[in-house]
Coordinates of all heavy atoms in Angstrom, one line a residue:
W35 N 80.7 5.9 9.3 CA 81.1 5.2 10.5 C 80.4 3.9 10.7 O 80.9 3.0 11.3 CB 80.8 6.2 11.7 CG 81.9 7.1 11.9 CD1 82.0 8.4 11.5 CD2 83.2 6.8 12.4 NE1 83.2 9.0 11.7 CE2 84.0 8.0 12.3 CE3 83.8 5.7 12.9 CZ2 85.3 8.1 12.7 CZ3 85.1 5.8 13.3 CH2 85.9 6.9 13.2
Y42 N 87.7 0.1 12.5 CA 88.2 1.1 13.4 C 88.5 0.5 14.8 O 89.6 0.6 15.3 CB 87.2 2.2 13.5 CG 87.7 3.3 14.5 CD1 88.4 4.4 14.1 CD2 87.3 3.2 15.8 CE1 88.8 5.4 15.0 CE2 87.7 4.2 16.8 CZ 88.4 5.3 16.3 OH 88.8 6.2 17.3
I50 N 93.5 2.3 22.3 CA 92.6 3.1 23.1 C 91.9 2.4 24.2 O 91.2 3.0 25.0 CB 91.6 3.9 22.2 CG1 90.7 2.9 21.4 CG2 92.3 4.9 21.3 CD1 89.7 3.6 20.5
E80 N 79.3 12.3 26.8 CA 80.4 12.1 25.8 C 79.8 12.2 24.4 O 79.0 11.4 24.0 CB 81.1 10.8 26.0 CG 82.3 10.7 25.0 CD 83.2 9.4 25.2 OE1 82.8 8.6 26.0 OE2 84.2 9.3 24.4
G82 N 80.0 11.7 20.7 CA 80.8 11.0 19.7 C 81.6 10.0 20.5 O 82.8 10.0 20.4
C83 N 80.9 9.1 21.2 CA 81.6 8.2 22.2 C 82.3 7.0 21.5 O 83.1 6.3 22.2 CB 80.7 7.8 23.3 SG 79.3 6.8 22.7
G84 N 81.9 6.7 20.3 CA 82.4 5.5 19.7 C 82.1 4.3 20.5 O 80.9 4.1 20.9
L102 N 76.9 9.4 23.6 CA 76.1 9.7 22.4 C 76.9 9.5 21.2 O 78.1 9.9 21.2 CB 75.6 11.2 22.5 CG 74.8 11.7 21.3 CD1 73.7 12.6 21.7 CD2 75.8 12.4 20.3
D103 N 76.3 8.9 20.2 CA 77.1 8.7 18.9 C 76.0 8.7 17.8 O 74.9 8.2 17.9 CB 77.9 7.4 18.9 CG 79.1 7.6 17.9 OD1 78.8 7.4 16.7 OD2 80.2 7.8 18.4
N104 N 76.5 9.1 16.6 CA 75.7 9.2 15.4 C 75.7 7.9 14.7 O 74.9 7.7 13.8 CB 76.4 10.3 14.5 CG 75.6 10.7 13.3 OD1 74.4 10.6 13.3 ND2 76.3 11.0 12.2
S105 N 76.6 6.9 15.1 CA 76.7 5.6 14.4 C 76.1 4.5 15.3 O 76.6 4.3 16.4 CB 78.1 5.4 14.0 OG 78.3 4.0 13.8
Q108 N 78.8 1.9 15.9 CA 79.7 2.2 17.0 C 79.1 1.9 18.4 O 79.7 1.4 19.3 CB 80.1 3.7 16.9 CG 81.1 4.1 15.8 CD 82.6 3.7 16.2 OE1 82.9 2.5 16.3 NE2 83.4 4.7 16.2
A128 N 72.2 9.7 18.1 CA 71.8 11.0 17.6 C 73.0 11.7 17.2 O 74.2 11.4 17.5 CB 71.1 11.7 18.7
S129 N 72.8 12.8 16.4 CA 73.9 13.7 16.1 C 74.0 14.7 17.2 O 73.1 15.3 17.7 CB 73.6 14.4 14.8 OG 74.5 15.4 14.6
A130 N 75.3 15.1 17.4 CA 75.6 16.1 18.5 C 75.1 17.5 18.0 O 75.1 18.4 18.8 CB 77.1 16.1 18.7
D146 N 86.8 13.1 22.8 CA 88.1 12.9 22.4 C 88.1 12.6 20.9 O 87.8 11.4 20.6 CB 88.7 11.8 23.3 CG 90.2 11.6 23.1 OD1 90.8 12.5 22.4 OD2 90.8 10.6 23.5
H147 N 88.4 13.6 20.1 CA 88.3 13.4 18.6 C 86.9 12.9 18.3 O 86.8 12.0 17.4 CB 89.4 12.5 18.1 CG 90.8 13.3 18.1 ND1 91.2 14.0 17.1 CD2 91.7 13.3 19.1 CE1 92.4 14.6 17.4 NE2 92.7 14.2 18.6
G148 N 85.9 13.3 19.0 CA 84.6 12.8 18.7 C 83.8 13.8 17.9 O 84.3 14.4 16.9
A149 N 82.5 14.1 18.3 CA 81.6 14.7 17.4 C 82.0 16.2 17.0 O 81.6 16.6 15.9 CB 80.2 14.7 18.0
W152 N 83.6 16.2 13.8 CA 82.9 15.5 12.8 C 81.5 16.1 12.5 O 80.7 15.6 11.7 CB 82.7 14.0 13.2 CG 83.9 13.2 13.1 CD1 84.9 13.1 14.1 CD2 84.4 12.5 12.0 NE1 85.9 12.3 13.6 CE2 85.6 11.9 12.3 CE3 83.8 12.2 10.7 CZ2 86.3 11.1 11.4 CZ3 84.6 11.4 9.8 CH2 85.8 10.9 10.2
A153 N 81.2 17.2 13.2 CA 79.9 17.9 13.0 C 80.2 19.4 13.0 O 81.3 19.8 13.4 CB 78.9 17.5 14.1
Y248 N 96.9 6.1 14.9 CA 96.2 7.1 14.1 C 97.1 7.7 13.1 O 96.7 8.1 12.0 CB 95.6 8.1 15.0 CG 94.4 7.6 15.9 CD1 94.7 7.2 17.2 CD2 93.2 7.4 15.4 CE1 93.7 6.6 18.0 CE2 92.1 6.9 16.1 CZ 92.4 6.5 17.4 OH 91.4 5.9 18.2
Ligands
SAM320 C1 87.3 9.2 15.6 S1 85.9 8.5 16.4 C2 86.3 8.9 18.1 C3 85.4 8.1 19.0 C4 86.1 7.8 20.4 N1 86.3 9.0 21.1 C5 87.4 7.1 20.1 O1 88.5 7.6 20.6 O2 87.4 6.0 19.5 C6 84.6 9.8 16.0 C7 83.2 9.4 16.5 O3 82.4 10.5 16.3 C8 81.1 10.0 15.9 N2 80.4 11.1 15.2 C9 80.6 11.5 13.9 N3 79.7 12.5 13.6 C10 78.9 12.6 14.7 C11 77.8 13.5 15.0 N4 77.3 14.4 14.2 N5 77.2 13.3 16.3 C12 77.7 12.4 17.2 N6 78.7 11.6 16.9 C13 79.3 11.7 15.7 C14 81.5 8.8 14.9 O4 80.4 8.0 14.7 C15 82.6 8.2 15.7 O5 82.2 7.2 16.6

Side-chain angles (χ1 to χ4, degrees):
W35 279 102
Y42 176 90
I50 58 177
E80 184 174 4
C83 62
L102 175 142
D103 204 282
N104 188 34
S105 159
Q108 287 281 65
S129 170
D146 188 10
H147 288 272
W152 286 88
Y248 293 97

